[in-house]
Amino acid sequence: MPHAKRWLYLVHRWLGVLLCAFFAMWFLSGVVMMYVGYPKLTQAERLAHLPPLRSATPGPERLLEPTDALARAGLAGPLQDLRLAVASGGRAVYLVVPAAPTGDAAPRPRRAPAAVVIDAITGEKLQQVDTERAIASARTFAQQPDATIDYQGTIDEDAFTHSRALDAHRPLHRLHLGDSAGTVVYVSGTTGEVVRDAPLQERAWNYAGAWIHWLYPFRGNVFNDYWTDIVNWLSIAGIVLTVTGTVVGVLRWRFKGRYKTGSRTPYRGFMMRWHHVFGLVFAAITFTWIFSGLMSMNPWKIFDSGAAPLRQQARHDGPLVLPAQAATVHALLSAGSPNTRELRWMRSAGHTLVLASGPTGAPAVLDATTAAPHTWATGAVAQAATHLLPHAVVRTDTLTAYDLHYYDRAAHTMTGGVEKPLPVLRLVFDDPHATWVHIDPHTGAVLSRTDSHRRTSRWLFAMLHSWDWLPLLERRPLWDVLLIVLSLGGAVMSVTGVVMGWRRLGVKLRAIA
């Protein structure tokens, strides 16, 4: 037994020397992330920076109709996505994603396909995003015609563009807008769209927040291929450190009686005493955060259920094909808001529709043939959604308020920035994966899909790591106070460990010398 105790102390001591600095960094950077997230360009931001289609084009009547634009670009067949916006090089363009091949032999794409860009006036397919086009996109995004744009070249990846969502757009053009916020924007090398913005304040705080918290110093360099393993194994070592420290702390604490000093802890030095006390008080939250941080990595794909993709074409009664007698762009813009930033053709529940999106609020849903506002028949959206899986629907709920599985977070947070409208339909399927699908009853679009594996991930990561518990999120600043106090307590425990480890390491090195 004494031999086992000695190994317990040694394992905790030397893991502490190795990891306490990481713990302190994780606790403090986590507080920064509560208020400043990793740079992203949300849908709302993207639309707000697009010029209105009616005022930024030479006139809707001079724009090519989508069928004409597709024909001039040599694109035929069904589509996956079709948008019209002033989104590339400061000009109105159609952004087209052809439908992927279907059937058992069709390969599943490893990343989102890039759009084909067609000039909406000439019908020219725009294939090369050169410096001039990237600068024009950045100037349009800045909404300042005389903005002094500083072109900083192309990159494949930098500190603020590690997101896999950007893979289809690499290489990226990096440009500084020259505005008072010191904003840097990244322009897609494939479509010419601005795909990310990062003001100076956001970039600066990120070095003390998400960039260091997610160990992104190991991304984009020789360690890049090992980044996932580094994070996973550091987290596992951190769990071992926390468990051994808790056991040692309990063994050394006098729950009955006191040591000769009159204290319940045997340590007389300031650092060791406070490390013992804070380690016991914050042991549970430290274990919870390290464990849930590991769960955020989906280690060894434990939360991948292997479920088949949703049958979107079955739900829509076919792919997106433009109607022979389609409403003109002029009619669609006239039917939408004068502030319309983007037209998006879509197939939904057996109807071909156009979403006319402005900078705020829900998009107008228009019939693609008549340009009249589209009204859904009662139950039509829910009925079409039953075809998403070859299994029965147990029930269909209409949510008029957020709950534990469908809720909204601030745009800067890791899970925020995604539209979460209300009301929303939730279809619960009787399939082996216990699938839930959330549908927007306004547009008929699938908003999210979750199954038993992903709901487990929600509890083990979002709930335990970010405390995404609705009753607490609705009672801010209580959420803020609790997380800051717990984080600072964990930081004190970690910093005292850093000092103790440094001293111990110094003793060993002097002994060797």
Side-chain angles (χ1 to χ4, degrees):
M1 187 66 174
H3 186 69
K5 277 189 178 181
R6 174 171 173 74
W7 274 107
L8 184 69
Y9 295 157
L10 287 174
V11 168
H12 179 68
R13 176 185 298 165
W14 291 108
L15 276 179
V17 171
L18 176 66
L19 294 175
C20 268
F22 284 97
F23 273 46
M25 175 269 294
W26 279 326
F27 278 116
L28 295 175
S29 59
V31 174
V32 175
M33 290 177 66
M34 291 168 60
Y35 305 102
V36 181
Y38 193 64
K40 66 175 74 170
L41 183 67
T42 66
Q43 173 76 343
E45 288 176 316
R46 186 184 71 84
L47 290 170
H49 283 274
L50 291 177
L53 269 168
R54 297 182 71 174
S55 63
T57 59
E61 65 281 355
R62 289 181 55 188
L63 293 176
L64 290 173
E65 299 304 323
T67 51
D68 295 334
L70 291 169
R72 292 195 187 189
L75 294 177
L79 307 175
Q80 180 177 320
D81 193 30
L82 174 62
R83 293 182 286 138
L84 171 64
V86 183
S88 181
R91 66 182 83 179
V93 295
Y94 285 101
L95 297 114
V96 189
V97 179
T102 59
D104 295 336
R108 184 179 295 185
R110 299 184 65 180
R111 66 183 189 181
V116 177
V117 185
I118 305 171
D119 189 301
I121 297 176
T122 67
E124 177 190 2
K125 188 186 295 187
L126 306 177
Q127 296 179 320
Q128 182 182 1
V129 181
D130 55 17
T131 301
E132 182 180 355
R133 187 168 154 205
I135 292 174
S137 292
R139 181 169 285 113
T140 303
F141 184 90
Q143 299 180 339
Q144 296 176 1
D146 57 345
T148 303
I149 305 297
D150 178 19
Y151 181 76
Q152 299 178 341
T154 59
I155 59 155
D156 186 63
E157 197 168 327
D158 69 3
F160 309 110
T161 56
H162 292 310
S163 171
R164 297 281 68 87
L166 296 175
D167 284 353
H169 299 284
R170 303 186 198 279
L172 302 167
H173 296 264
R174 192 178 194 271
L175 306 97
H176 194 290
L177 296 186
D179 59 350
S180 59
T183 304
V184 168
V185 296
Y186 298 86
V187 173
S188 168
T190 56
T191 68
E193 298 173 277
V194 173
V195 291
R196 176 148 299 186
D197 67 330
L200 175 60
Q201 185 176 21
E202 188 175 55
R203 299 197 308 276
W205 277 110
N206 252 265
Y207 285 113
W211 182 79
I212 190 69
H213 191 87
W214 293 337
L215 301 184
Y216 274 177
F218 295 109
R219 295 290 301 272
N221 49 43
V222 295
F223 298 104
N224 192 70
D225 292 342
Y226 309 102
W227 173 76
T228 298
D229 289 331
I230 290 171
V231 176
N232 286 344
W233 286 108
L234 279 176
S235 301
I236 291 171
I239 291 171
V240 174
L241 173 63
T242 305
V243 171
T244 56
T246 304
V247 175
V248 169
V250 170
L251 290 175
R252 300 292 282 166
W253 187 263
R254 286 282 175 86
F255 292 94
K256 293 182 179 180
R258 297 176 183 271
Y259 289 94
K260 292 181 180 180
T261 59
S263 176
R264 296 188 184 276
T265 176
Y267 304 111
R268 300 188 180 190
F270 177 84
M271 288 294 170
M272 294 191 72
R273 177 187 295 269
W274 282 107
H275 184 73
H276 190 192
V277 172
F278 274 76
L280 286 175
V281 172
F282 294 96
I285 192 60
T286 301
F287 175 85
T288 297
W289 274 339
I290 296 298
F291 172 76
S292 57
L294 174 63
M295 294 300 101
S296 74
M297 296 295 294
N298 186 18
W300 304 285
K301 309 297 182 183
I302 61 174
F303 298 122
D304 290 359
S305 65
L310 297 177
R311 304 188 306 176
Q312 294 283 14
Q313 287 198 22
R315 177 175 78 98
H316 297 322
D317 192 23
L320 173 60
V321 177
L322 297 180
Q325 301 297 323
T328 64
V329 170
H330 179 70
L332 292 167
L333 289 177
S334 298
S337 163
N339 228 3
T340 295
R341 268 29 180 202
E342 181 177 79
L343 295 178
R344 186 172 209 149
W345 285 258
M346 64 179 293
R347 183 74 177 168
S348 183
H351 297 271
T352 302
L353 306 172
V354 180
L355 302 185
S357 298
T360 59
V365 182
L366 307 174
D367 187 282
T369 301
T370 66
H374 178 75
T375 303
W376 294 103
T378 303
V381 172
Q383 177 58 37
T386 62
H387 299 291
L388 285 169
L389 291 173
H391 300 277
V393 173
V394 176
R395 70 175 189 274
T396 301
D397 300 324
T398 299
L399 305 183
T400 57
Y402 295 126
D403 65 8
L404 288 172
H405 294 280
Y406 182 83
Y407 57 94
D408 196 23
R409 288 298 314 270
H412 72 271
T413 60
M414 183 175 175
T415 57
V418 179
E419 297 293 331
K420 292 291 184 70
L422 287 172
V424 67
L425 300 178
R426 174 184 289 160
L427 277 73
V428 178
F429 285 87
D430 184 21
D431 66 310
H433 304 287
T435 300
W436 298 358
V437 180
H438 294 103
I439 306 284
D440 184 352
H442 176 61
T443 64
V446 172
L447 298 173
S448 65
R449 172 192 185 167
T450 181
D451 56 31
S452 57
H453 285 67
R454 295 179 189 178
R455 289 193 291 276
T456 300
S457 173
R458 180 263 183 276
W459 290 112
L460 295 183
F461 166 51
M463 177 65 180
L464 294 183
H465 206 72
S466 303
W467 288 29
D468 284 4
W469 184 45
L470 206 58
L472 192 57
L473 291 173
E474 292 175 339
R475 288 165 177 80
R476 299 186 70 176
L478 178 60
W479 178 86
D480 304 71
V481 171
L482 281 174
L483 265 67
I484 290 173
V485 168
L486 292 173
S487 297
L488 293 180
V492 170
M493 175 199 69
S494 305
V495 170
T496 54
V498 170
V499 174
M500 291 162 50
W502 183 257
R503 289 175 178 174
R504 172 66 64 174
L505 197 58
V507 170
K508 290 294 183 182
L509 293 176
R510 285 193 295 272
I512 294 173

